[in-house]
C-alpha cells in the first residue's frame, strides 16, 4: 500500500497543480478569454475542423481572400493534439490541449528534477515552480508557445541523458528520443520556443565537464537532424512559404524587436503587480501602458514566485547544484535575448543570425530565463534539504538573507504607499496614459496598498519557510511541506487571474453587426488595420474583458470566422502572405487616403460591407450628438463585384509594378478592365471585349476546391477573387490551364469557348515531399529500434 501511495503521489500533486492554475478550463461551457485564444486560435481551429469534414484542410477561404493552412505553423495542422478539434467542439479541444500540456509540462519538470537527484519533495517543488510560474501560465494565451514550452523539461531530460556517457541506454536511442521530442515541438508551431529549447540544450551540453564537449555537441546536432527529418512535413512547406514572405529578407529592426523586454520590468520578478494588473486594464488598474510596446506586455506575467527567486539566486551564486552552469547560462541567455532592442548588441547579433531577424517579440525568450530559474530553485531546495538532514541547516542562511532583502523591499513599497499617498499619485501620472482624475488616483491608491500588503505577506511567508528549514529541531519533512504550501499559495494567488474564461455560448452568438451584413458570397472588409488613431473600447455588459467584446462587436479579424464570415484584405498579422497577396495589401495602403479607390479595391475582393472602426474622437462626437457610441459601423459598398466574374477587358503587363500602376490609373474598376501579370500560353493576345457573352452557370467553392460551370461563345477571361498562389492548379474538362496573378493579387484564367467546367484545386507545395521524408525517417527509426531490441535480446 505504501508503494502504491508513493507511485500515486506525482499524478495527484500534478493534478492538484494543474487544477489550481488552469482549473477554469475544465468546464466544457467555457473558453479561455485571453488575447489570442478567442480572437485568433479559436477561429482558426474552428475553420480547420469544419474544413476537415470535407477533406484535407489545406486552404482557409475565410481570411484575406483565402490563406494556405498546412504551411502556416499557427494552425499546427500536423501536431497530433490539434486533431482533438476534429472530434470535440473546438473550444473544448483547445481547453483540453492546454490542460494536457500543463500536466505534461509538470510531469517533465518532475522527471528532470528526479534525474538530477531530487527527492520527491524537491521534485514537486520544481514541477510546481515550472507549471505555476507566471511566464508559463501567461503563455497559454499564445497556444503554440504554450504547447511548445511544455516540451522543454522533457527535452532537457533527454538531452542530459544524451550527454551522459554513463547512461546505459544506447547512444542512438537517446539521440532518437531527443530528436522525436524536438520534432514534436517543431510541429507545435512556435519557432521561438524551438530556439529556446535549442539554447537550453546547448547550455546543458557546454556546462557539463570539460571533457567531451565536441561529442556532446555532435550528439545534439544528430538529434537536430533527426528532428528536421521527422518534422519535414511541416518544415518544407513552411520554409517554401517563408521564402516569399516578408520574413525572407528580415523584418527590419522595428518590426523584429516589437515587444522587447523593458529593463524596468525586472522589478516584477519580485513585486509582480508593481505596475498594476494587466488583466484589470478595463478597470483602469494597470499603469504600465507607456512602458511596453503596443502599451501592453507580451507576457502578461513574468513572476516566478518569491521563494523560487531567492532559492534560484542562492543556488546559482554559491551552491554546487547539478548543472549549475546550465541554469545560469539559461538565465543569462534568456535575459540577453529578451531585451531585444534594449540590448545594444541585439541588432548586430540579428545580422549574424538571420533567424533572429525573421521572428518577432523578443520578450518570448524570457521563457528560457524563467525556466532556468525554476529548475535551479528546485535543485537548490534539494541541496538545502540534504544539508539539513546532515545537521547543517545553516546553509539556509544565504537564501534567508535574500528573503530578508525581499521583505525589506516589499516593506519599503508598502510603507511608502501608506505614509506618503502622493507617491502613488506621482507613479500613476507617470505610468498611465489615462487622465489622472481624482477617482482614478483614489482607486489606484487603494489597489496599490492592497497589492503592496500582499507582496509583503508573500515575502514574509517565504522567509518563514526558510526559517523553518533553519530550525534544527524541526524535521526536514515539515519544512518541505511548509515550502510547498507557501509556493503553491503564492503562485495560485498571482496566477489564477491569468486564465479568465467566458461562456462559449456568449462567444458563439454573432453580434448585431454580423447579422446586419450581407451573406455569402459577400465578404467583409474592416479598417482596423488602417486606423491611425486609438479605437473606441466598449463597456460591455457581457462577462469577460471589455476589449475582447469590443473586438467581437466590431468583427476584428479573425473572430468572424467563428460564424462563417469571410474577410477581404485584412492585415497580415502573422506575416505569412506571399508576393501576390502582399502586393494587394500594399496596394490598399497606397490608396487608403483616396476613399473611392480603396472602396473599389475592396469591392473587387467581393467585400459588400465595410466595417469602419470607430475612433475615440468619433465615438465622443456621436455622444455629443445624442447618438449611441458604437465600436464600429457598417457601410454598404456600392462597388461590390462578385467573387467570380468575366471582366469586359483584360490587359497584360510584364511585371506587377506596371500592372498596379495601370490599375490605379484606371480607377481600380477591375470589373471593366482587369490587369494581369505575365504572358498567356503561346503569346496569345487577351480575349476580346465583352468576353464573348460569357456567363456563369454554377459555382461550387469548398475549401481548397472550386468548380465552375460556364458558357462562352468565344474565349473568355475569368477573374477569381481568390488569393493567387502557386499551389493552385486549374483544369477545364481535364485539360491543364496556367493561372496568372492579377494586379489585385487574384487568379486570372483564359477559358476556351463552349459550355465547360473549370476546376481549381489547391495543393501546398512541399507537403508531399515533406510527408515522404517524415514517413521514411519514422519507418527507419522504428526499424532501427526493433533491430536494436532484437540484438539485445539475442545477446
Amino acid at each position: 500500500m505504501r508503494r502504491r501511495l508513493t507511485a500515486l503521489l506525482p499524478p495527484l500533486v500534478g493534478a492538484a497543480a494543474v487544477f489550481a492554475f488552469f482549473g477554469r478550463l475544465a468546464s466544457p461551457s467555457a473558453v479561455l478569454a485571453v488575447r489570442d485564444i478567442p480572437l485568433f486560435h479559436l477561429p482558426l481551429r474552428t475553420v480547420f475542423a469544419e474544413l476537415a469534414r470535407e477533406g484535407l484542410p489545406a486552404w482557409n477561404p475565410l481570411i484575406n481572400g483565402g490563406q494556405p493552412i498546412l504551411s502556416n505553423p499557427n494552425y499546427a495542422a500536423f501536431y497530433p493534439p490539434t486533431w482533438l478539434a476534429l472530434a470535440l467542439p473546438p473550444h473544448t479541444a483547445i481547453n483540453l490541449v492546454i490542460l494536457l500540456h500543463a500536466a505534461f509540462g509538470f510531469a517533465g519538470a518532475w522527471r528532470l528534477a528526479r534525474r538530477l537527484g531530487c527527492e520527491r519533495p524537491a521534485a514537486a517543488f520544481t514541477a510546481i515552480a515550472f507549471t505555476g510560474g507566471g511566464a508559463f501560465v501567461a503563455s497559454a494565451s499564445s497556444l503554440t508557445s504554450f504547447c511548445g514550452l511544455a516540451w522543454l523539461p522533457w527535452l532537457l531530460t533527454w538531452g542530459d541523458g544524451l550527454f551522459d556517457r554513463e547512461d546505459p541506454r544506447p547512444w542512438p536511442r537517446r539521440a532518437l528520443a531527443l530528436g522525436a521530442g524536438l520534432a514534436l515541438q517543431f510541429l507545435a508551431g512556435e519557432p521561438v520556443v524551438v530556439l529556446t529549447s535549442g539554447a537550453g540544450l546547448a547550455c546543458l551540453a557546454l556546462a557539463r565537464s570539460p571533457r567531451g564537449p565536441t561529442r556532446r555537441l555532435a550528439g545534439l546536432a544528430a538529434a537536430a537532424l533527426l528532428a528536421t527529418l521527422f518534422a519535414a512535413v511541416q518544415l518544407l512547406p513552411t520554409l517554401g512559404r517563408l521564402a516569399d514572405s516578408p520574413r525572407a529578407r528580415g523584418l527590419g529592426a522595428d518590426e523584429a524587436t516589437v515587444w522587447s523586454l523593458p529593463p524596468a520590468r525586472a522589478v516584477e520578478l519580485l513585486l509582480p503587480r508593481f505596475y498594476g494588473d494587466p488583466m484589470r486594464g478595463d478597470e483602469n488598474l494597470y499603469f504600465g501602458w507607456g512602458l511596453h510596446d503596443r502599451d501592453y506586455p507580451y507576457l502578461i506575467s513574468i513572476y516566478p514566485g518569491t521563494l523560487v527567486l531567492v532559492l534560484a539566486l542562492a543556488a546559482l551564486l554559491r551552491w554546487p547544484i547539478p548543472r549549475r552552469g546550465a541554469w545560469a547560462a539559461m538565465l543569462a541567455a534568456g535575459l540577453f535575448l529578451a531585451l531585444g532592442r534594449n540590448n545594444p548588441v541585439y541588432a548586430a547579433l540579428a545580422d549574424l543570425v538571420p533567424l533572429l531577424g525573421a521572428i518577432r517579440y523578443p520578450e518570448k525568450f524570457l521563457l528560457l530565463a524563467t525556466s532556468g530559474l525554476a529548475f535551479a530553485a528546485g535543485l537548490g531546495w534539494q541541496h538545502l534539504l540534504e544539508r539539513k538532514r546532515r545537521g547543517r541547516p545553516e546553509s539556509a542562511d544565504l537564501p534567508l538573507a535574500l528573503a530578508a532583502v525581499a521583505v525589506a523591499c516589499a516593506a519599503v513599497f508598502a510603507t511608502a504607499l501608506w505614509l506618503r499617498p502622493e507617491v502613488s499619485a506621482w507613479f500613476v501620472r507617470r505610468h498611465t496614459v489615462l487622465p489622472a482624475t481624482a477617482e482614478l488616483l483614489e482607486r489606484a491608491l487603494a489597489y496599490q496598498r492592497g497589492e503592496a500588503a500582499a507582496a509583503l505577506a508573500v515575502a514574509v511567508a517565504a522567509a518563514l519557510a526558510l526559517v523553518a528549514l533553519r530550525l534544527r529541531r524541526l524535521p526536514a519533512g515539515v519544512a518541505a511541506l511548509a515550502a510547498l504550501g507557501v509556493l503553491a499559495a503564492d503562485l495560485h494567488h498571482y496566477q489564477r487571474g491569468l486564465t479568465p474564461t467566458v461562456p462559449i455560448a456568449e462567444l458563439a452568438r454573432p453580434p448585431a453587426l454580423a447579422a446586419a451584413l450581407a451573406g455569402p458570397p459577400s465578404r467583409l472588409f474592416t479598417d482596423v488595420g488602417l486606423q491611425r488613431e486609438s479605437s473606441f473600447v466598449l463597456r460591455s455588459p457581457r462577462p469577460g474583458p471589455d476589449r475582447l467584446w469590443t473586438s467581437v462587436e466590431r468583427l476584428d479579424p479573425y473572430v468572424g470566422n467563428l460564424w462563417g464570415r469571410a474577410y477581404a484584405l485584412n492585415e497580415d498579422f502573422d506575416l505569412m502572405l506571399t508576393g501576390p497577396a502582399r502586393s494587394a495589401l500594399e496596394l490598399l495602403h497606397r490608396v487608403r487616403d483616396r476613399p473611392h479607390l480603396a472602396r473599389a479595391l475592396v469591392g473587387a475582393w467581393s467585400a459588400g460591407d465595410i466595417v469602419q472602426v470607430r475612433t475615440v474622437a468619433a465615438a465622443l462626437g456621436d455622444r455629443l450628438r445624442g447618438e449611441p457610441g458604437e465600436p464600429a459601423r457598417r457601410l454598404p459598398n456600392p462597388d461590390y463585384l462578385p467573387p467570380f466574374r468575366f471582366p469586359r477587358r483584360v490587359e497584360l503587363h510584364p511585371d506587377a509594378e506596371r500592372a498596379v500602376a495601370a490599375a490605379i490609373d484606371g480607377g481600380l474598376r477591375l470589373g471593366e478592365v482587369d490587369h494581369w501579370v505575365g504572358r498567356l500560353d503561346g503569346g496569345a493576345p487577351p480575349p476580346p471585349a465583352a468576353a464573348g457573352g460569357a456567363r456563369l452557370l454554377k459555382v461550387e467553392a469548398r475549401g481548397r476546391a472550386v468548380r465552375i460551370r460556364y458558357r462562352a461563345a468565344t474565349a473568355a477571361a475569368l477573374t477569381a477573387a481568390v488569393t493567387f498562389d502557386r499551389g493552385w492548379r486549374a483544369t477545364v474538362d481535364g485539360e491543364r490551364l496556367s493561372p496568372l496573378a492579377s494586379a489585385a493579387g487574384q487568379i486570372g484564367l483564359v477559358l476556351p469557348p463552349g459550355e465547360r467546367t473549370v476546376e481549381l484545386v489547391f495543393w501546398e507545395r512541399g507537403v508531399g515531399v515533406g510527408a515522404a521524408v517524415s514517413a521514411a525517417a519514422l519507418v527507419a527509426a522504428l526499424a532501427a529500434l526493433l533491430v536494436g531490441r532484437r540484438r539485445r535480446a539475442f545477446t
Side-chain angles (χ1 to χ4, degrees), residues 89-466:
H91 75 279
T92 304
I94 287 178
N95 289 350
L96 186 57
V97 165
I98 293 174
L99 290 171
L100 289 176
H101 281 80
F104 187 65
F106 181 94
W110 183 294
R111 181 69 187 89
L112 176 61
R114 293 287 284 169
R115 173 178 175 79
L116 297 178
C118 288
E119 297 174 354
R120 288 185 177 85
F125 187 98
T126 306
I128 292 173
F130 177 78
T131 311
F136 182 77
V137 179
S139 67
S141 65
S142 177
L143 188 61
T144 53
S145 293
F146 184 78
C147 292
L149 188 61
W151 284 92
L152 177 61
W154 288 102
L155 296 176
L156 294 176
T157 300
W158 296 328
D160 192 67
L162 177 64
F163 306 146
D164 189 354
R165 289 187 174 186
E166 298 180 1
D167 195 308
R169 296 175 300 168
W171 185 87
R173 185 179 176 185
R174 288 177 276 161
L176 185 61
L178 180 57
L182 279 170
L184 285 165
Q185 193 179 54
F186 269 125
L187 298 180
E190 177 48 67
V192 174
V193 176
V194 177
L195 288 177
T196 294
S197 295
L201 288 167
C203 292
L204 198 60
L206 295 173
R208 293 176 67 94
S209 66
R211 294 184 303 166
T214 303
R215 181 178 182 275
R216 291 193 293 270
L217 292 176
L220 183 57
L225 176 61
L226 287 171
T228 302
L229 296 175
F230 291 150
V233 66
Q234 179 71 73
L235 290 176
L236 285 182
T238 298
L239 291 174
R241 181 150 301 277
L242 289 176
D244 194 27
S245 75
R247 299 176 186 264
R249 295 172 296 277
L251 299 176
D254 292 338
E255 183 70 26
T257 58
V258 169
W259 265 320
S260 294
L261 177 69
R265 202 181 181 195
V267 68
E268 294 182 42
L269 294 172
L270 179 60
L271 302 174
R273 293 178 183 163
F274 185 80
Y275 297 103
D277 188 352
M279 299 302 298
R280 299 180 69 181
D282 293 338
E283 304 173 50
N284 297 331
L285 292 178
Y286 179 60
F287 318 114
W289 300 111
L291 185 67
H292 301 275
D293 297 329
R294 301 182 182 178
D295 293 326
Y296 202 76
Y298 181 82
L299 290 174
I300 299 173
S301 172
I302 62 173
Y303 178 60
T306 300
L307 194 54
V308 169
L309 183 63
V310 299
L311 284 172
L313 291 178
L316 295 177
L317 288 172
R318 187 169 180 179
W319 299 334
I321 62 171
R323 320 296 185 261
R324 182 173 70 166
W327 318 129
M330 286 173 62
L331 176 61
L335 290 174
F336 179 85
L337 294 172
L339 288 171
R341 69 169 178 278
N342 300 312
N343 179 343
V345 302
Y346 189 87
L349 184 62
D351 291 336
L352 292 175
V353 185
L355 188 57
L356 284 180
I359 58 177
R360 296 181 293 178
Y361 315 152
E363 193 167 282
K364 292 179 183 178
F365 286 109
L366 198 61
L367 297 169
L368 178 64
T370 55
S371 299
L373 281 177
F375 302 141
L379 294 169
W381 185 239
Q382 175 64 32
H383 172 80
L384 285 182
L385 292 176
E386 290 176 353
R387 303 284 277 189
K388 180 175 178 61
R389 280 194 291 270
R390 294 175 184 174
R392 301 186 61 182
E394 64 274 7
S395 297
D397 289 347
L398 177 56
L400 189 56
L402 294 174
V405 173
V407 171
C409 292
V412 169
F413 183 43
T415 302
L417 290 171
W418 281 98
L419 299 183
R420 302 291 297 273
E422 60 271 20
V423 171
S424 172
W426 169 84
F427 182 85
V428 171
R429 288 192 183 98
R430 183 177 176 84
H431 291 93
T432 185
V433 295
L434 300 172
T437 63
E439 180 185 2
L440 174 62
L441 294 177
E442 183 178 352
R443 293 183 69 244
L445 176 61
Y447 169 81
Q448 287 179 311
R449 283 175 170 173
E451 288 302 324
L456 179 59
V458 167
V460 170
L464 290 177
L466 293 169

Side-chain angles (χ1 to χ4, degrees), residues 12-56:
L12 289 176
V13 176
V18 171
F19 181 80
F21 303 125
F22 303 95
R24 294 172 181 169
L25 302 181
S27 170
S29 61
V31 64
L32 192 63
V34 185
R35 294 169 61 168
D36 286 354
I37 294 295
L39 301 177
F40 183 69
H41 293 292
L42 180 59
L44 293 189
R45 300 294 168 98
T46 299
V47 174
F48 179 83
E50 291 174 352
L51 292 173
R53 298 188 186 101
E54 300 178 357
L56 181 69

